[in-house]
Amino acid sequence: MVACTQPRRVAAMSVSRRVAEEMDVTIGEEVGYSIRFEDCSSHKTVLKYLTDGMLLREAMADPLLEKYKVIVLDEAHERTLATDVLFGLLKEVLKNRPDLKLVVMSATLEAEKFQGYFNGAPLMKVPGRLHPVEIFYTQEPERDYLEAAIRTVMQIHMCEPAGDILVFLTGEEEIEDACRKINKETNNMGDQVGPVKVVPLYSTLPPAMQQKIFEPAPAPLKEGGPPGRKIVVSTNIAETSLTIDGIVYVIDPGFSKQKVYNPRIRVESLLVSPISKASAHQRAGRAGRTQPGKCFRLYTEKSFNEDLQPQTYPEILRSNLANTVLTLKKLGIDDLVHFDFMDPPAPETLMRALEVLNYLGALDDEGNLTQLGEMMSEFPLDPQMSKMLVISPKYNCSNEILSVSAMLSGMLMQIIAVC
């Protein structure tokens, strides 16, 4: 079987469906996908798309990943936590399985760095067919990128030829706010402009809602009237892997939310930060997938050249590693300090993770996995929550703790204030 990893669930689902369509097979048979809470594959499956986290979970049960002959790590430039752990893990697996083929893919990869890490592996450049994309910068920095993005959407809708719009914003609240404002603005214009379908896209949206981005744009209100337009307002989830047919215009404010962890105070937070040049190139590329397009960058060219980092800072260098350490221990990797990370995390972050796991009873004083730690590693949760779940039967409060854990880790948490 061939495994192909994607950093995001929506990408794994949409790419597998597209490939199944191209191969003229039923999804879930020869071509399938596996994401958390949903496995759409069978004994017939020869090509499986899955998130990097799912492949890591599979490695916990099968450390040599025996059922795969080829593993493709796609969108490797994103350097997610799971992808970085897979790099080190698969490098070890390759020593024991010479029959396994590993392919690392990306459109914006630091090729030399990856080649050096994988012992001088051959580099293949496959030129993609991309339509020309015209890039526009602002003359002056924008004071409020959200207002600037909405203003740009309205200008495109009023003045530019037919074609759908993709807007990048940083989070759910911002996206829902933008969707409301765009709908309100277009309703106020009445018949002067064509109808719009405004579609949000972010990771916590249920899969059925995420699929709405692939629906066609609305038809004109009357024959010969202004064309309808689809406007997708998304986080950086739409930056890679996804090809949304009909996208001609991309609006890039230049920001995304990034996870940052401070090991001294043990607090993880999401900060709105400038994107990298690699991300900016990926965003612009969304406009030229099916026809020539335009990308409106809501920052200056000087800022792009001088202020943006070349590549995204790896997630492993800015995350709480407690769960990662627990996973590695479960995989039988005891010497974490010498584990072959492409970018080794700070020793302090690793020490804090080991301290937390020892305090929770997942590791003993020698740093070995305890029986409790074995059970905790089976849950795709923070160690504090998995410990809480495992010991809840002892205090006869499993139902309550299940509810609390589901709420704390759930996708959509609706808080209803009862007066």
Side-chain angles (χ1 to χ4, degrees):
M1 196 194 296
V2 177
C4 181
T5 70
Q6 299 290 330
R8 298 188 177 88
R9 292 175 307 153
V10 67
M13 291 165 70
S14 66
V15 175
S16 61
R17 287 200 177 103
R18 173 68 187 265
V19 172
E21 202 178 287
E22 295 274 339
M23 291 173 64
D24 198 19
V25 296
T26 307
I27 186 75
E29 294 192 357
E30 286 85 352
V31 178
Y33 65 85
S34 176
I35 59 173
R36 194 194 284 191
F37 308 128
E38 190 178 353
D39 184 6
C40 183
S41 62
S42 65
H43 64 281
K44 281 188 186 176
T45 304
V46 289
L47 172 58
K48 182 158 85 170
Y49 287 86
L50 66 174
T51 54
D52 42 17
M54 284 304 294
L55 187 62
L56 204 51
R57 306 277 328 157
E58 286 188 17
M60 288 168 76
D62 174 16
L64 290 177
L65 296 164
E66 300 272 11
K67 67 177 176 182
Y68 298 113
K69 289 284 182 282
V70 180
I71 293 175
V72 181
L73 299 180
D74 199 7
E75 308 299 355
H77 69 278
E78 292 218 0
R79 302 293 304 278
T80 64
L81 197 51
T83 299
D84 265 29
V85 173
L86 282 170
F87 288 154
L89 198 63
L90 289 169
K91 198 173 172 183
E92 287 299 310
V93 170
L94 286 166
K95 291 175 187 173
N96 299 308
R97 279 196 58 197
D99 63 308
L100 180 68
K101 299 283 185 290
L102 176 64
V103 181
V104 181
M105 291 201 309
S106 170
T108 50
L109 197 66
E110 298 169 279
E112 294 75 22
K113 181 175 182 174
F114 277 74
Q115 270 188 295
Y117 179 74
F118 286 106
N119 308 319
L123 173 66
M124 295 172 73
K125 292 191 178 179
V126 183
R129 289 181 302 162
L130 197 65
H131 296 276
V133 177
E134 207 176 342
I135 293 177
F136 300 90
Y137 294 93
T138 56
Q139 294 299 312
E140 297 293 327
E142 291 289 349
R143 189 170 294 174
D144 183 337
Y145 66 83
L146 180 59
E147 288 302 321
I150 294 166
R151 191 172 64 243
T152 310
V153 167
M154 299 317 299
Q155 286 169 351
I156 292 170
H157 190 43
M158 288 189 293
C159 309
E160 293 285 346
D164 297 339
I165 304 170
L166 173 60
V167 188
F168 284 99
L169 292 176
T170 64
E172 178 184 341
E173 191 179 341
E174 220 172 61
I175 286 168
E176 294 292 357
D177 186 31
C179 289
R180 278 192 298 274
K181 287 179 176 172
I182 292 166
N183 274 320
K184 188 179 173 186
E185 295 262 349
T186 47
N187 289 339
N188 289 345
M189 289 181 169
D191 296 341
Q192 297 172 43
V193 293
V196 296
K197 179 192 279 184
V198 186
V199 191
L201 178 63
Y202 42 88
S203 61
T204 53
L205 208 58
M209 297 285 282
Q210 290 180 345
Q211 294 304 310
K212 285 182 179 289
I213 63 169
F214 300 111
E215 291 174 4
L221 292 172
K222 54 179 185 254
E223 206 172 318
R229 222 185 273 269
K230 178 172 67 183
I231 301 167
V232 179
V233 189
S234 173
T235 59
N236 56 358
I237 192 173
E239 204 172 277
T240 52
S241 304
L242 285 179
T243 296
I244 306 167
D245 286 340
I247 296 291
V248 178
Y249 308 100
V250 167
I251 298 169
D252 172 19
F255 292 97
S256 68
K257 268 189 184 161
Q258 295 204 339
K259 200 189 291 177
V260 178
Y261 178 64
N262 185 332
R264 291 202 173 95
I265 56 170
R266 302 182 190 193
V267 170
E268 200 168 50
S269 50
L270 281 170
L271 296 181
V272 175
S273 318
I275 60 170
S276 64
K277 284 180 182 160
S279 288
H281 289 311
Q282 289 277 5
R283 290 181 176 193
R286 302 295 101 196
R289 283 294 165 119
T290 51
Q291 64 190 87
K294 293 180 180 179
C295 176
F296 297 85
R297 290 181 174 159
L298 306 182
Y299 43 92
T300 63
E301 191 167 6
K302 182 174 183 282
S303 181
F304 174 80
N305 291 324
E306 295 176 10
D307 299 338
L308 300 191
Q309 295 288 329
Q311 294 287 338
T312 305
Y313 203 52
E315 194 180 356
I316 200 161
L317 301 180
R318 48 187 171 82
S319 294
N320 178 0
L321 297 182
N323 209 5
T324 305
V325 168
L326 191 60
T327 303
L328 289 170
K329 288 283 184 185
K330 172 72 175 172
L331 289 164
I333 293 150
D334 293 319
D335 189 359
L336 297 172
V337 177
H338 295 105
F339 181 71
D340 198 355
F341 289 112
M342 185 178 282
D343 287 288
E348 186 180 3
T349 312
L350 273 176
M351 286 307 298
R352 288 284 188 217
L354 288 164
E355 277 174 26
V356 166
L357 292 172
N358 175 247
Y359 179 71
L360 291 171
L363 301 178
D364 61 23
D365 291 344
E366 278 73 52
N368 300 315
L369 202 60
T370 61
Q371 193 178 354
L372 174 65
E374 290 263 358
M375 293 167 74
M376 285 166 61
S377 69
E378 296 294 330
F379 293 92
L381 295 170
D382 282 342
Q384 286 90 336
M385 278 205 274
S386 52
K387 163 83 182 272
M388 191 165 76
L389 271 176
V390 170
I391 65 160
S392 60
K394 185 177 169 185
Y395 298 97
N396 296 320
C397 58
S398 297
N399 282 344
E400 292 82 356
I401 293 300
L402 272 169
S403 300
V404 170
S405 301
M407 288 171 74
L408 288 171
S409 61
M411 305 253 177
L412 285 171
M413 183 175 158
Q414 303 289 345
I415 299 174
I416 301 165
V418 180
C419 298

